[in-house]
Each structure stands twice: as structure tokens, then as C-alpha cells.
Tab-separated table of all heavy atoms in Angstrom:
chain	number	residue	atom	x	y	z
N	1	MET	N	-5.585	-8.153	-7.959
N	1	MET	CA	-4.455	-8.700	-8.660
N	1	MET	C	-3.827	-9.865	-7.902
N	1	MET	O	-3.428	-10.840	-8.530
N	1	MET	CB	-3.390	-7.618	-8.826
N	1	MET	CG	-3.346	-6.973	-10.143
N	1	MET	SD	-1.773	-6.149	-10.276
N	1	MET	CE	-2.285	-4.556	-10.707
N	2	LEU	N	-3.696	-9.705	-6.616
N	2	LEU	CA	-3.049	-10.764	-5.835
N	2	LEU	C	-3.826	-12.071	-5.895
N	2	LEU	O	-3.233	-13.136	-6.033
N	2	LEU	CB	-2.876	-10.316	-4.377
N	2	LEU	CG	-1.859	-9.201	-4.154
N	2	LEU	CD1	-1.926	-8.707	-2.719
N	2	LEU	CD2	-0.465	-9.674	-4.494
N	3	THR	N	-5.129	-11.980	-5.811
N	3	THR	CA	-5.920	-13.213	-5.867
N	3	THR	C	-5.879	-13.840	-7.256
N	3	THR	O	-5.939	-15.054	-7.386
N	3	THR	CB	-7.377	-12.957	-5.455
N	3	THR	OG1	-7.939	-11.944	-6.273
N	3	THR	CG2	-7.466	-12.544	-3.999
N	4	GLU	N	-5.734	-13.020	-8.291
N	4	GLU	CA	-5.669	-13.542	-9.657
N	4	GLU	C	-4.425	-14.394	-9.898
N	4	GLU	O	-4.427	-15.259	-10.770
N	4	GLU	CB	-5.713	-12.396	-10.663
N	4	GLU	CG	-7.067	-11.731	-10.738
N	4	GLU	CD	-7.076	-10.517	-11.647
N	4	GLU	OE1	-6.081	-10.275	-12.356
N	4	GLU	OE2	-8.083	-9.809	-11.636
N	5	VAL	N	-3.375	-14.169	-9.143
N	5	VAL	CA	-2.148	-14.958	-9.312
N	5	VAL	C	-1.984	-16.017	-8.225
N	5	VAL	O	-0.919	-16.602	-8.079
N	5	VAL	CB	-0.889	-14.066	-9.406
N	5	VAL	CG1	-0.935	-13.215	-10.646
N	5	VAL	CG2	-0.711	-13.228	-8.160
N	6	GLY	N	-3.050	-16.245	-7.432
N	6	GLY	CA	-3.052	-17.360	-6.507
N	6	GLY	C	-2.879	-17.049	-5.037
N	6	GLY	O	-2.829	-17.955	-4.211
N	7	PHE	N	-2.763	-15.778	-4.671
N	7	PHE	CA	-2.637	-15.445	-3.247
N	7	PHE	C	-3.992	-15.538	-2.560
N	7	PHE	O	-5.030	-15.279	-3.169
N	7	PHE	CB	-2.060	-14.041	-3.070
N	7	PHE	CG	-0.590	-13.953	-3.323
N	7	PHE	CD1	-0.105	-13.635	-4.572
N	7	PHE	CD2	0.322	-14.206	-2.312
N	7	PHE	CE1	1.244	-13.550	-4.828
N	7	PHE	CE2	1.677	-14.126	-2.551
N	7	PHE	CZ	2.142	-13.804	-3.805
N	8	VAL	N	-3.977	-15.908	-1.296
N	8	VAL	CA	-5.196	-16.002	-0.487
N	8	VAL	C	-4.975	-15.235	0.816
N	8	VAL	O	-3.868	-14.814	1.119
N	8	VAL	CB	-5.551	-17.476	-0.178
N	8	VAL	CG1	-5.877	-18.227	-1.454
N	8	VAL	CG2	-4.445	-18.179	0.586
N	9	ASP	N	-6.020	-15.088	1.584
N	9	ASP	CA	-5.960	-14.382	2.869
N	9	ASP	C	-5.346	-12.993	2.723
N	9	ASP	O	-4.508	-12.565	3.519
N	9	ASP	CB	-5.164	-15.195	3.904
N	9	ASP	CG	-5.754	-16.564	4.165
N	9	ASP	OD1	-6.985	-16.702	4.050
N	9	ASP	OD2	-4.992	-17.501	4.465
N	10	VAL	N	-5.767	-12.268	1.707
N	10	VAL	CA	-5.239	-10.927	1.441
N	10	VAL	C	-5.836	-9.947	2.443
N	10	VAL	O	-7.046	-9.869	2.610
N	10	VAL	CB	-5.559	-10.485	0.002
N	10	VAL	CG1	-5.060	-9.079	-0.254
N	10	VAL	CG2	-4.964	-11.467	-0.996
N	11	VAL	N	-4.967	-9.196	3.120
N	11	VAL	CA	-5.395	-8.191	4.090
N	11	VAL	C	-4.695	-6.880	3.728
N	11	VAL	O	-3.481	-6.854	3.549
N	11	VAL	CB	-5.008	-8.600	5.528
N	11	VAL	CG1	-5.407	-7.522	6.518
N	11	VAL	CG2	-5.630	-9.924	5.896
N	12	ILE	N	-5.469	-5.799	3.610
N	12	ILE	CA	-4.913	-4.484	3.309
N	12	ILE	C	-5.049	-3.625	4.553
N	12	ILE	O	-6.123	-3.507	5.133
N	12	ILE	CB	-5.648	-3.835	2.125
N	12	ILE	CG1	-5.526	-4.734	0.898
N	12	ILE	CG2	-5.082	-2.448	1.845
N	12	ILE	CD1	-6.355	-4.305	-0.277
N	13	GLY	N	-3.929	-3.027	4.968
N	13	GLY	CA	-3.910	-2.225	6.180
N	13	GLY	C	-4.342	-0.788	5.952
N	13	GLY	O	-4.734	-0.387	4.858
N	14	SER	N	-4.220	-0.006	6.983
N	14	SER	CA	-4.575	1.413	6.946
N	14	SER	C	-3.539	2.206	6.151
N	14	SER	O	-2.380	1.820	6.064
N	14	SER	CB	-4.633	1.965	8.370
N	14	SER	OG	-5.587	1.263	9.120
N	15	PRO	N	-3.937	3.355	5.586
N	15	PRO	CA	-2.988	4.169	4.835
N	15	PRO	C	-1.847	4.667	5.725
N	15	PRO	O	-2.047	4.946	6.908
N	15	PRO	CB	-3.824	5.333	4.316
N	15	PRO	CG	-5.102	5.294	5.044
N	15	PRO	CD	-5.261	3.939	5.642
N	16	VAL	N	-0.669	4.765	5.122
N	16	VAL	CA	0.534	5.201	5.844
N	16	VAL	C	1.157	6.367	5.082
N	16	VAL	O	1.233	6.349	3.854
N	16	VAL	CB	1.547	4.039	5.932
N	16	VAL	CG1	2.819	4.481	6.610
N	16	VAL	CG2	0.950	2.848	6.638
N	17	ASP	N	1.606	7.373	5.811
N	17	ASP	CA	2.287	8.507	5.189
N	17	ASP	C	3.723	8.094	4.875
N	17	ASP	O	4.608	8.204	5.706
N	17	ASP	CB	2.261	9.708	6.124
N	17	ASP	CG	2.895	10.943	5.515
N	17	ASP	OD1	3.335	10.897	4.348
N	17	ASP	OD2	2.955	11.969	6.215
N	18	THR	N	3.956	7.590	3.675
N	18	THR	CA	5.276	7.075	3.302
N	18	THR	C	6.250	8.181	2.911
N	18	THR	O	7.430	7.921	2.738
N	18	THR	CB	5.159	6.084	2.133
N	18	THR	OG1	4.508	6.725	1.044
N	18	THR	CG2	4.380	4.854	2.551
N	19	PHE	N	5.773	9.415	2.770
N	19	PHE	CA	6.640	10.515	2.356
N	19	PHE	C	7.034	11.436	3.496
N	19	PHE	O	7.651	12.473	3.268
N	19	PHE	CB	5.968	11.332	1.249
N	19	PHE	CG	5.900	10.607	-0.061
N	19	PHE	CD1	4.773	9.879	-0.399
N	19	PHE	CD2	6.967	10.631	-0.933
N	19	PHE	CE1	4.708	9.202	-1.603
N	19	PHE	CE2	6.918	9.947	-2.135
N	19	PHE	CZ	5.788	9.236	-2.472
N	20	ALA	N	6.689	11.102	4.730
N	20	ALA	CA	7.019	11.952	5.878
N	20	ALA	C	8.522	12.202	5.927
N	20	ALA	O	9.331	11.284	5.936
N	20	ALA	CB	6.545	11.311	7.168
N	21	GLY	N	8.910	13.459	5.905
N	21	GLY	CA	10.310	13.841	5.991
N	21	GLY	C	11.055	13.826	4.672
N	21	GLY	O	12.223	14.204	4.599
N	22	ALA	N	10.400	13.406	3.597
N	22	ALA	CA	11.051	13.347	2.282
N	22	ALA	C	11.010	14.725	1.612
N	22	ALA	O	10.147	15.547	1.920
N	22	ALA	CB	10.352	12.325	1.400
N	23	PRO	N	11.929	14.972	0.682
N	23	PRO	CA	11.934	16.265	-0.006
N	23	PRO	C	10.610	16.588	-0.718
N	23	PRO	O	10.219	17.732	-0.779
N	23	PRO	CB	13.067	16.130	-1.023
N	23	PRO	CG	13.971	15.094	-0.462
N	23	PRO	CD	13.074	14.148	0.283
N	24	GLY	N	9.915	15.614	-1.235
N	24	GLY	CA	8.653	15.857	-1.947
N	24	GLY	C	7.415	15.714	-1.084
N	24	GLY	O	6.315	15.562	-1.603
N	25	GLU	N	7.582	15.789	0.221
N	25	GLU	CA	6.456	15.564	1.128
N	25	GLU	C	5.283	16.512	0.851
N	25	GLU	O	4.131	16.087	0.836
N	25	GLU	CB	6.903	15.721	2.580
N	25	GLU	CG	5.799	15.505	3.583
N	25	GLU	CD	6.267	15.648	5.023
N	25	GLU	OE1	7.443	15.980	5.262
N	25	GLU	OE2	5.443	15.417	5.908
N	26	ASP	N	5.555	17.776	0.610
N	26	ASP	CA	4.470	18.738	0.372
N	26	ASP	C	3.675	18.394	-0.888
N	26	ASP	O	2.454	18.504	-0.917
N	26	ASP	CB	5.008	20.165	0.297
N	26	ASP	CG	6.061	20.362	-0.783
N	26	ASP	OD1	6.748	19.384	-1.150
N	26	ASP	OD2	6.201	21.507	-1.260
N	27	LYS	N	4.351	17.915	-1.918
N	27	LYS	CA	3.653	17.525	-3.150
N	27	LYS	C	2.817	16.268	-2.925
N	27	LYS	O	1.706	16.145	-3.423
N	27	LYS	CB	4.658	17.306	-4.277
N	27	LYS	CG	5.323	18.589	-4.702
N	27	LYS	CD	6.289	18.356	-5.825
N	27	LYS	CE	6.895	19.676	-6.217
N	27	LYS	NZ	8.273	19.808	-5.907
N	28	ALA	N	3.357	15.320	-2.173
N	28	ALA	CA	2.613	14.093	-1.881
N	28	ALA	C	1.358	14.418	-1.077
N	28	ALA	O	0.291	13.857	-1.330
N	28	ALA	CB	3.499	13.110	-1.116
N	29	ARG	N	1.472	15.329	-0.135
N	29	ARG	CA	0.301	15.717	0.658
N	29	ARG	C	-0.744	16.421	-0.211
N	29	ARG	O	-1.939	16.228	-0.037
N	29	ARG	CB	0.709	16.610	1.821
N	29	ARG	CG	1.449	15.874	2.900
N	29	ARG	CD	1.614	16.750	4.138
N	29	ARG	NE	2.519	16.138	5.083
N	29	ARG	CZ	2.168	15.193	5.937
N	29	ARG	NH1	0.933	14.753	5.952
N	29	ARG	NH2	3.052	14.683	6.778
N	30	ALA	N	-0.284	17.229	-1.168
N	30	ALA	CA	-1.212	17.951	-2.044
N	30	ALA	C	-2.055	16.972	-2.875
N	30	ALA	O	-3.207	17.253	-3.191
N	30	ALA	CB	-0.450	18.900	-2.960
N	31	PHE	N	-1.472	15.825	-3.210
N	31	PHE	CA	-2.192	14.830	-4.021
N	31	PHE	C	-2.726	13.677	-3.176
N	31	PHE	O	-3.199	12.682	-3.710
N	31	PHE	CB	-1.284	14.292	-5.127
N	31	PHE	CG	-1.021	15.304	-6.198
N	31	PHE	CD1	0.145	16.042	-6.192
N	31	PHE	CD2	-1.965	15.531	-7.187
N	31	PHE	CE1	0.386	16.992	-7.173
N	31	PHE	CE2	-1.735	16.477	-8.177
N	31	PHE	CZ	-0.549	17.211	-8.165
N	32	ASP	N	-2.634	13.802	-1.860
N	32	ASP	CA	-3.154	12.798	-0.924
N	32	ASP	C	-2.581	11.397	-1.212
N	32	ASP	O	-3.311	10.418	-1.322
N	32	ASP	CB	-4.677	12.783	-0.971
N	32	ASP	CG	-5.303	12.154	0.261
N	32	ASP	OD1	-4.669	12.196	1.341
N	32	ASP	OD2	-6.405	11.608	0.149
N	33	VAL	N	-1.248	11.338	-1.366
N	33	VAL	CA	-0.552	10.087	-1.674
N	33	VAL	C	-0.235	9.333	-0.381
N	33	VAL	O	0.309	9.909	0.553
N	33	VAL	CB	0.759	10.371	-2.448
N	33	VAL	CG1	1.536	9.087	-2.668
N	33	VAL	CG2	0.458	11.048	-3.760
N	34	HIS	N	-0.589	8.055	-0.346
N	34	HIS	CA	-0.311	7.201	0.811
N	34	HIS	C	0.159	5.837	0.334
N	34	HIS	O	-0.118	5.427	-0.786
N	34	HIS	CB	-1.566	7.011	1.672
N	34	HIS	CG	-2.031	8.261	2.326
N	34	HIS	ND1	-2.926	9.112	1.719
N	34	HIS	CD2	-1.723	8.812	3.510
N	34	HIS	CE1	-3.149	10.134	2.528
N	34	HIS	NE2	-2.433	9.976	3.617
N	35	GLY	N	0.845	5.136	1.205
N	35	GLY	CA	1.176	3.745	0.957
N	35	GLY	C	0.231	2.878	1.770
N	35	GLY	O	-0.335	3.324	2.770
N	36	TYR	N	0.046	1.656	1.344
N	36	TYR	CA	-0.837	0.732	2.050
N	36	TYR	C	-0.104	-0.578	2.292
N	36	TYR	O	0.316	-1.222	1.332
N	36	TYR	CB	-2.107	0.445	1.236
N	36	TYR	CG	-3.025	1.637	1.158
N	36	TYR	CD1	-2.836	2.633	0.211
N	36	TYR	CD2	-4.083	1.760	2.048
N	36	TYR	CE1	-3.676	3.714	0.141
N	36	TYR	CE2	-4.933	2.851	1.988
N	36	TYR	CZ	-4.725	3.828	1.037
N	36	TYR	OH	-5.550	4.910	0.976
N	37	PRO	N	0.061	-0.954	3.551
N	37	PRO	CA	0.678	-2.260	3.818
N	37	PRO	C	-0.307	-3.373	3.480
N	37	PRO	O	-1.523	-3.200	3.593
N	37	PRO	CB	0.963	-2.219	5.314
N	37	PRO	CG	-0.033	-1.270	5.874
N	37	PRO	CD	-0.296	-0.260	4.783
N	38	PHE	N	0.219	-4.474	3.008
N	38	PHE	CA	-0.656	-5.607	2.748
N	38	PHE	C	0.060	-6.898	3.125
N	38	PHE	O	1.286	-6.967	3.185
N	38	PHE	CB	-1.133	-5.644	1.295
N	38	PHE	CG	-0.035	-5.772	0.284
N	38	PHE	CD1	0.416	-7.021	-0.132
N	38	PHE	CD2	0.553	-4.648	-0.250
N	38	PHE	CE1	1.429	-7.129	-1.059
N	38	PHE	CE2	1.568	-4.759	-1.186
N	38	PHE	CZ	2.005	-5.989	-1.580
N	39	LEU	N	-0.725	-7.889	3.383
N	39	LEU	CA	-0.233	-9.205	3.747
N	39	LEU	C	-1.059	-10.221	2.967
N	39	LEU	O	-2.276	-10.098	2.870
N	39	LEU	CB	-0.397	-9.445	5.253
N	39	LEU	CG	0.075	-10.757	5.822
N	39	LEU	CD1	1.590	-10.901	5.654
N	39	LEU	CD2	-0.300	-10.859	7.280
N	40	ALA	N	-0.368	-11.186	2.359
N	40	ALA	CA	-1.062	-12.223	1.597
N	40	ALA	C	-0.261	-13.504	1.687
N	40	ALA	O	0.934	-13.490	1.967
N	40	ALA	CB	-1.242	-11.792	0.156
N	41	ARG	N	-0.923	-14.588	1.441
N	41	ARG	CA	-0.276	-15.894	1.527
N	41	ARG	C	-0.520	-16.648	0.230
N	41	ARG	O	-1.614	-16.632	-0.324
N	41	ARG	CB	-0.870	-16.668	2.712
N	41	ARG	CG	-0.303	-18.036	2.941
N	41	ARG	CD	-0.903	-18.664	4.190
N	41	ARG	NE	-2.339	-18.857	4.127
N	41	ARG	CZ	-2.935	-19.897	3.563
N	41	ARG	NH1	-2.220	-20.851	3.018
N	41	ARG	NH2	-4.254	-20.007	3.560
N	42	LYS	N	0.535	-17.276	-0.273
N	42	LYS	CA	0.394	-18.102	-1.482
N	42	LYS	C	0.524	-19.559	-1.052
N	42	LYS	O	1.584	-19.999	-0.620
N	42	LYS	CB	1.454	-17.758	-2.521
N	42	LYS	CG	1.169	-18.425	-3.853
N	42	LYS	CD	1.824	-17.698	-4.981
N	42	LYS	CE	1.353	-18.295	-6.291
N	42	LYS	NZ	1.931	-17.615	-7.420
N	43	PRO	N	-0.574	-20.317	-1.140
N	43	PRO	CA	-0.543	-21.707	-0.694
N	43	PRO	C	0.428	-22.549	-1.522
N	43	PRO	O	0.671	-22.280	-2.678
N	43	PRO	CB	-1.973	-22.189	-0.935
N	43	PRO	CG	-2.750	-21.080	-1.482
N	43	PRO	CD	-1.847	-19.939	-1.703
N	44	GLY	N	0.937	-23.550	-0.845
N	44	GLY	CA	1.785	-24.494	-1.567
N	44	GLY	C	3.139	-24.472	-1.063
N	44	GLY	O	4.102	-24.939	-1.129
């Protein structure tokens, strides 16, 4: 998606446990939910 709208140099990082310590943490773990950091640049 990012490249389709003009971003370049897209880098996707390792999965991160974004629900650590949250009330729904056990449910997120049951469904293997993670966040992924990304970095991209839009020229111009």
C-alpha cells in the first residue's frame, strides 16, 4: 500500500508486543496479535 501511494525505501521492523500490560493482553496473545514498526520516505 505504501508504495502504491508514492512512498519509497519502505522498511518493516520486527513484531512488537503492543498489548503488554493492557487489559486485553491475554486475548491478544491467544490470537497472536502484534504491531509492526515501519519506516518509509515520500520523495519530494
Side-chain angles (χ1 to χ4, degrees):
M1 260 197 233
L2 291 172
T3 56
E4 289 175 9
V5 295
F7 284 92
V8 296
D9 301 330
V10 178
V11 178
I12 301 172
S14 301
V16 177
D17 183 2
T18 56
F19 289 94
E25 180 179 3
D26 58 334
K27 292 181 179 111
R29 289 190 190 278
F31 289 98
D32 200 27
V33 175
H34 294 90
Y36 290 84
F38 61 89
L39 181 64
R41 180 176 62 84
K42 190 157 188 179

